[in-house]
Amino acid sequence: MSKKTGTLKRNFHAEAVLGPELSARLPQTKVLLVGAGGIGCELLKNIVLAGFGHITLLDLDTIDLSNLNRQFLFRKKDVKQSKALVAAKTAAAFNPNVRITPIHGNIKEPQFDIAWFRGFDIVLNALDNLDARRHVNKMCLAANVPLVESGTAGYLGQVQPIVKDRTECFDCVPKPTPKTFPVCTIRSTPSQPIHCIVWAKSYLIPQLFGEDEDSGGELDEAEKQGENAQEIATLRKEAQAFKVVRSLLRTTTESGESDAAKRAFEKVFHSDILNLLSMADMWKSRAPPTPLEFDAIRKGTFKLDKDSAQTNGTSNANGSARNGSKSAPGNTAAPENTPNDSQAASTSKPSLKDQRALTLQDSLELFVSSTNKLAARLQAGEDTISFDKDDDDTLDFVTAASNLRSAAYGIAGKTRWEVKEMAGNIIPAIATTNAIISGLIVLQAFHLLRKSYNKLRNVHVQFKPTMPLSSISMSPANPDCGICRDTYTELLCDPSRVTLGEVVSGILGENTRDVSVYEDKRVLSDPDWDDNLERTLESLNVTRGKFLSIVDDDGEYETIQVGIGALPPNHSVDESSFILPNPLPSPPKKVKPAPPAPSTPPPPQSKKRPAPDDGEAPSAKRPRTVDDASFTPSKRRRLEDDGLILLDSADEVIDDDAVIVID
Ligand SMILES: Nc1ncnc2c1ncn2[C@@H]1O[C@H](COP(=O)(O)OP(=O)(O)OP(=O)(O)O)[C@@H](O)[C@H]1O
Ligand SMILES: [Zn+2]
């Protein structure tokens, strides 16, 4: 204790800062930390040193080499090991008074149900994707456990404390949807590097190395419908050619040599482009692409059509150089690789592999070598391969294929690093931002544990030298939020025995009314369609950890979210297959929205639908027109999330230009 001997006790400073009450409570505090990545490592260090007594650390991933620059609890020897396990082991040594329970798993697994979440005093999110963050938000609302939500993107970061009924939840403010591109831009008329990267990642990889999607039936159907026979014949030829290449990629040859890569190249960069060129109308107002020639590129004798290269290349090269690479560390000097660089193969200087501009010849060789590697993996037993930014073979393939396509369309090329950044939607992570955010998370956690709700703040780290931190007082929940405004309850049951009908009538009790029932975005029943009510939850794939949403069809009551939990271990199989919550949930009445204006035509009567195939749970995909009043926020949100377009009146016109999503 005395200064002389230098033996102040370990938590001397923490006690001074936190005060005796909270510091006495911390050793008993149970905290769940979800994510052991950039923020997670910093945060684990903070809460271990602060003395949070019982820490459960959960992460689904293993350590990647690229994590080591900032995830300082990991060393090179730990690469490929579980993040949660290694982080827990390293951090445990910082404070012997703390117990860390690592879990290598996905937070969405069924065993992490409401009862499990309820076992924590506080939850801290250190996640990197919306889906998992939304899930934890919902589980914390259901379990009534405070959550601190956080995220960083480069120099920017934010911390958001969430307490049910006191603050906004993670979903109160809509999040921007991922960027989308029209399918025809991706498939036929790319004009920017990103179009070619999305094509390679989301179209070509699945076609060559993904699941076999037989388009034959679809084309037969189109033919029957009387669609353009010539175009169908062309598509059939294209599909057939993919089949041949797919099977070549999966066939081992005796010599070990295969021309599968060359055949793939000739199909996508030569024949398909020739086919497109034959549709003359397409190229009236835009520069036509140039079919590439495998042997000529290899020999260095291939010449690109300068005109087309110039038309697309110049404008896009400038734009993409500025937009695409601003955040990549160290790549500002990376030369913009125009297609005409193919002539300068011999002048390309070797530099760091990832940041070197590729010539056309380089791209072709990389295409061949990566295709061969991926083919070898299929032959060795891998079922399907999809793009993963940390899988070198798929990254090489996407780098090569997108650069070849860019060359054919006169678009500027991209380095492997830039492709990784764009295809993997990578925002560079900055250790210092993670550290600042982690410190702020702990401060908000202290306010929550003390129940000092008036001290809670949403804090932002921003790129403003005059005010790098901004803190905003908490806003109340959004009254239209389809997540936190719902009424949560829990049903303990055996999903293999209890039926959907039993759950719905049990939960509604005496308040029988017209309802629709959802699981996530799937409609399981509605007032016109009761076929599933006799089925067990298990047969409808509604299992522990999931929610059934009971939505009042007249929009009079708030939605009831029924979390599915397990029966207690001592519950005998001879007893009832479920235990209802006590008391039953009583959702508040909603304030009715104003009736639609007289000019609005009434929605058409809904029609009874046929039951879906027995083996499969039904999907929510059905066209429907609605008036605002009949769709509760939760229902509207679920439908919109699912890509359904809600028409506010029957005569509203929709723009049906198909889009694909980069995730
Ligand atoms: N559903 C989930 N369940 C458990 N952990 C998850 C889930 N989704 C994401 N995570 C974890 O959240 C962490 C987020 O950390 P971070 O943003 O630093 O990502 P990273 O994968 O470590 O880095 P990078 O994406 O830059 O390679 C990751 O370790 C990831 O495995
Ligand atoms: Zn909300």
Side-chain angles (χ1 to χ4, degrees):
M1 233 353 209
S2 89
K3 270 208 163 152
K4 255 194 291 176
T5 56
T7 52
L8 292 176
K9 58 179 188 176
R10 174 183 286 272
N11 62 346
F12 179 82
H13 292 285
E15 214 175 277
V17 175
L18 301 178
E21 196 271 328
L22 185 57
S23 58
R25 204 142 50 86
L26 274 191
Q28 279 86 52
T29 300
K30 297 191 183 79
V31 53
L32 168 64
L33 168 50
V34 196
I39 297 179
C41 282
E42 292 282 350
L43 187 51
L44 180 65
K45 173 257 293 171
N46 290 352
I47 58 177
V48 166
L49 293 178
F52 283 69
H54 301 268
I55 301 170
T56 299
L57 173 69
L58 187 145
D59 197 298
L60 54 70
D61 211 358
T62 52
I63 298 160
D64 189 78
L65 189 64
S66 66
N67 298 148
L68 300 188
N69 72 337
R70 62 195 186 286
Q71 298 174 21
F72 66 95
L73 299 177
F74 310 138
R75 297 285 171 267
K76 187 150 183 222
K77 65 175 171 47
D78 304 321
V79 167
K80 301 242 174 327
Q81 307 292 316
S82 155
K83 282 185 170 179
L85 268 58
V86 175
K89 193 165 170 220
T90 312
F94 299 167
N95 186 347
N97 304 328
V98 168
R99 216 180 102 210
I100 311 177
T101 311
I103 302 178
H104 182 82
N106 187 329
I107 192 62
K108 293 183 80 176
E109 284 167 29
Q111 67 273 30
F112 308 127
D113 60 6
I114 298 176
W116 185 79
F117 269 83
R118 222 183 266 127
F120 299 100
D121 299 303
I122 189 163
V123 176
L124 310 176
N125 260 358
L127 287 160
D128 60 353
N129 62 85
L130 277 184
D131 185 49
R133 294 165 82 179
R134 285 201 159 124
H135 178 81
V136 177
N137 176 54
K138 191 165 177 178
M139 295 307 288
C140 287
L141 291 168
N144 209 359
V145 177
L147 166 68
V148 187
E149 180 28 70
S150 63
T152 62
Y155 295 105
L156 311 179
Q158 97 169 68
V159 175
Q160 180 190 6
I162 297 171
V163 189
K164 186 161 167 32
D165 297 332
R166 285 185 185 270
T167 68
E168 285 177 327
C169 81
F170 182 68
D171 269 314
C172 273
V173 179
K175 304 288 175 288
T177 46
K179 194 161 170 43
T180 59
F181 298 104
V183 165
C184 51
T185 304
I186 301 301
R187 293 280 287 270
S188 320
T189 52
S191 60
Q192 294 174 23
I194 185 68
H195 299 154
C196 299
I197 292 169
V198 170
W199 171 84
K201 164 190 159 179
S202 306
Y203 172 70
L204 192 57
I205 288 204
Q207 285 289 341
L208 294 177
F209 308 106
E211 252 166 55
D212 187 7
E213 281 165 19
D214 185 9
S215 57
E218 198 182 81
L219 295 177
D220 291 346
E221 192 51 38
E223 200 162 29
K224 272 195 224 140
Q225 305 286 324
E227 288 196 23
N228 183 327
Q230 198 198 343
E231 204 176 319
I232 291 172
T234 314
L235 289 175
R236 224 187 268 289
K237 232 171 80 187
E238 270 196 19
Q240 195 53 40
F242 258 128
K243 276 212 156 118
V244 174
V245 178
R246 282 179 64 91
S247 84
L248 278 177
L249 289 169
R250 285 159 180 77
T251 314
T252 356
T253 56
E254 265 178 34
S255 62
E257 296 274 305
S258 157
D259 68 346
K262 184 173 179 187
R263 296 283 290 273
F265 179 100
E266 285 175 340
K267 186 211 168 319
V268 291
F269 301 115
H270 190 84
S271 320
D272 288 356
I273 290 183
L274 279 182
N275 280 341
L276 279 175
L277 286 175
S278 69
M279 300 182 205
D281 279 359
M282 276 174 79
W283 313 110
K284 276 186 182 153
S285 58
R286 51 167 77 88
T290 308
L292 304 183
E293 287 172 29
F294 191 93
D295 292 327
I297 296 175
R298 252 202 173 155
K299 282 191 220 133
T301 57
F302 182 74
K303 289 217 175 349
L304 272 165
D305 172 357
K306 278 218 155 103
D307 284 347
S308 73
Q310 221 88 72
T311 321
N312 293 329
T314 317
S315 56
N316 294 313
N318 293 340
S320 55
R322 275 182 206 117
N323 298 336
S325 59
K326 71 171 191 294
S327 46
N331 72 351
T332 42
E336 200 53 39
N337 177 21
T338 63
N340 295 328
D341 288 346
S342 58
Q343 311 311 321
S346 56
T347 63
S348 84
K349 298 213 174 66
S351 61
L352 277 174
K353 179 187 174 199
D354 276 6
Q355 291 169 23
R356 192 167 63 88
L358 299 175
T359 67
L360 197 49
Q361 235 171 352
D362 292 337
S363 297
L364 180 135
E365 296 307 339
L366 189 62
F367 182 84
V368 172
S369 61
S370 57
T371 305
N372 288 341
K373 279 187 198 157
L374 292 170
R377 281 167 50 176
L378 291 178
Q379 289 159 25
E382 231 173 290
D383 264 357
T384 58
I385 300 172
S386 56
F387 175 76
D388 175 349
K389 66 179 169 39
D390 296 320
D391 172 342
D392 276 348
D393 300 337
T394 60
L395 178 60
D396 281 341
F397 181 86
V398 169
T399 305
S402 61
N403 272 305
L404 288 167
R405 186 166 173 84
S406 290
Y409 279 87
I411 298 168
K414 289 280 161 197
T415 64
R416 189 176 185 271
W417 170 266
E418 289 167 323
V419 171
K420 179 171 183 171
E421 207 182 25
M422 292 164 85
N425 293 327
I426 299 175
I427 299 152
I430 296 176
T432 310
T433 316
N434 287 339
I436 298 170
I437 287 296
S438 304
L440 294 166
I441 293 171
V442 179
L443 293 184
Q444 296 303 318
F446 287 152
H447 293 324
L448 285 169
L449 291 173
R450 283 198 187 101
K451 297 196 169 36
S452 307
Y453 299 123
N454 57 344
K455 292 199 174 148
L456 293 175
R457 294 287 182 277
N458 278 331
V459 191
H460 294 258
V461 176
Q462 47 195 18
F463 201 64
K464 262 195 203 162
T466 48
M467 214 207 340
L469 276 189
S470 88
S471 75
I472 305 163
S473 306
M474 305 309 294
S475 308
N478 171 0
D480 290 333
C481 176
I483 299 295
C484 68
R485 294 303 80 214
D486 294 349
T487 299
Y488 284 83
T489 188
E490 191 185 19
L491 178 92
L492 307 181
C493 66
D494 174 354
S496 69
R497 291 196 290 141
V498 68
T499 65
L500 183 64
E502 284 172 322
V503 176
V504 176
S505 56
I507 292 287
L508 291 181
E510 290 171 0
N511 301 317
T512 323
R513 51 183 191 267
D514 276 354
V515 292
S516 297
V517 184
Y518 292 80
E519 188 280 310
D520 196 14
K521 296 166 192 165
R522 297 182 300 143
V523 184
L524 300 182
S525 82
D526 69 25
D528 305 320
W529 181 56
D530 55 12
D531 306 42
N532 283 330
L533 294 180
E534 297 293 302
R535 292 174 61 168
T536 63
L537 295 193
E538 190 177 81
S539 76
L540 293 164
N541 198 16
V542 180
T543 44
R544 190 175 162 195
K546 295 190 176 174
F547 288 87
L548 283 173
S549 313
I550 303 184
V551 180
D552 185 62
D553 243 55
D554 296 327
E556 257 190 71
Y557 292 91
E558 297 287 2
T559 295
I560 304 174
Q561 298 279 3
V562 187
I564 307 299
L567 287 165
N570 57 0
H571 190 90
S572 144
V573 277
D574 303 328
E575 294 178 67
S576 163
S577 57
F578 60 99
I579 301 175
L580 285 171
N582 186 11
L584 287 176
S586 56
K589 272 205 165 191
K590 292 176 28 153
V591 184
K592 269 226 161 196
S599 61
T600 310
Q605 294 296 311
S606 60
K607 293 195 185 83
K608 193 159 170 115
R609 283 172 294 138
D613 282 350
D614 253 353
E616 236 181 45
S619 104
K621 299 215 183 255
R622 58 177 167 153
R624 186 159 182 180
T625 58
V626 294
D627 67 331
D628 266 338
S630 71
F631 269 67
T632 61
S634 357
K635 192 161 177 175
R636 170 172 280 274
R637 182 204 161 86
R638 246 183 302 279
L639 294 173
E640 285 175 348
D641 273 0
D642 201 28
L644 291 191
I645 296 164
L646 299 183
L647 304 181
D648 285 334
S649 72
D651 52 3
E652 192 182 323
V653 180
I654 53 164
D655 172 9
D656 64 352
D657 192 8
V659 291
I660 65 166
V661 176
I662 334 179
D663 50 15

